[in-house]
Amino acid sequence: MSTDPSIARRSWASRITSHVPPGQFARYLLVGLWNTAFGYGLYAALTALLTPRMRYGYIAANALASLISITVAFLGYKWFVFKTHGNYLREWIRCLAVYSGGIVASTAALPVVVVFIRRTTHVDAAAPYLAGAIVMGLATIYNFVGHKNFSFRSRSTNP
């Protein structure tokens, strides 16, 4: 057994990432960055379009933009990240399930993380923003693992 800490770190990191093809997580982040910009732009455009026409148009804009941007992300993940073939409807429904689970978990975790930050640091007003960043980082990993192992699971890993 080696006592070199750099070898131990590489071994630990390689054990965690050995099941992820090279570049796959980076492509996932790239699609996520694009889709975040696209989703927010779509939300802003739909809000501008719907607000003059209906009360609380921003709520309808949010729901519609979310559904469209999840679908756009799904296609990016399918074609560019996980590169699966066929099964569009099944994978899209699974993609919605992963995102829904992540939204529920993030919503539940957020107040816990805010309280933790406020009680363990001198940060008060910025705690929700820090907690949001922490939860978003964890959600990104959760969503990647969920999409890889559930939404876009290959036939070779299907039971």
Side-chain angles (χ1 to χ4, degrees), residues 18-63:
S18 65
H19 64 283
V20 178
Q24 189 177 60
F25 190 70
R27 290 190 311 268
Y28 177 80
L29 291 176
L30 186 63
V31 169
L33 286 171
W34 148 252
N35 200 59
T36 298
F38 171 78
Y40 185 76
L42 183 61
Y43 165 75
L46 288 172
T47 297
L49 179 72
L50 296 176
T51 298
R53 292 170 174 76
M54 62 189 304
R55 191 171 181 169
Y56 306 115
Y58 62 91
I59 295 173
N62 182 60

Side-chain angles (χ1 to χ4, degrees), residues 60-75:
N62 182 60
L64 190 56
S66 294
L67 189 60
I68 293 169
S69 66
I70 286 172
T71 301
V72 168
F74 159 75
L75 294 171

Side-chain angles (χ1 to χ4, degrees), residues 1-139:
M1 179 171 237
S2 174
T3 58
D4 183 1
S6 65
I7 293 173
R9 274 193 299 267
R10 279 189 303 230
S11 297
W12 177 82
S14 66
R15 283 194 308 263
I16 289 176
T17 61
S18 65
H19 64 283
V20 178
Q24 189 177 60
F25 190 70
R27 290 190 311 268
Y28 177 80
L29 291 176
L30 186 63
V31 169
L33 286 171
W34 148 252
N35 200 59
T36 298
F38 171 78
Y40 185 76
L42 183 61
Y43 165 75
L46 288 172
T47 297
L49 179 72
L50 296 176
T51 298
R53 292 170 174 76
M54 62 189 304
R55 191 171 181 169
Y56 306 115
Y58 62 91
I59 295 173
N62 182 60
L64 190 56
S66 294
L67 189 60
I68 293 169
S69 66
I70 286 172
T71 301
V72 168
F74 159 75
L75 294 171
Y77 298 149
K78 180 168 185 60
W79 296 335
F80 184 63
V81 178
F82 301 107
K83 300 178 181 180
T84 61
H85 302 283
N87 303 314
Y88 279 83
L89 182 60
R90 184 179 77 202
E91 289 177 349
W92 181 73
I93 290 170
R94 287 180 173 194
C95 188
L96 288 175
V98 168
Y99 274 124
S100 297
I103 290 167
V104 169
S106 295
T107 302
L110 198 55
V112 173
V113 177
V114 168
V115 168
F116 177 78
I117 290 170
R118 285 183 173 156
R119 289 190 179 169
T120 60
T121 69
H122 298 292
V123 175
D124 187 46
Y129 302 100
L130 291 172
I134 291 167
V135 169
M136 183 187 303
L138 294 172

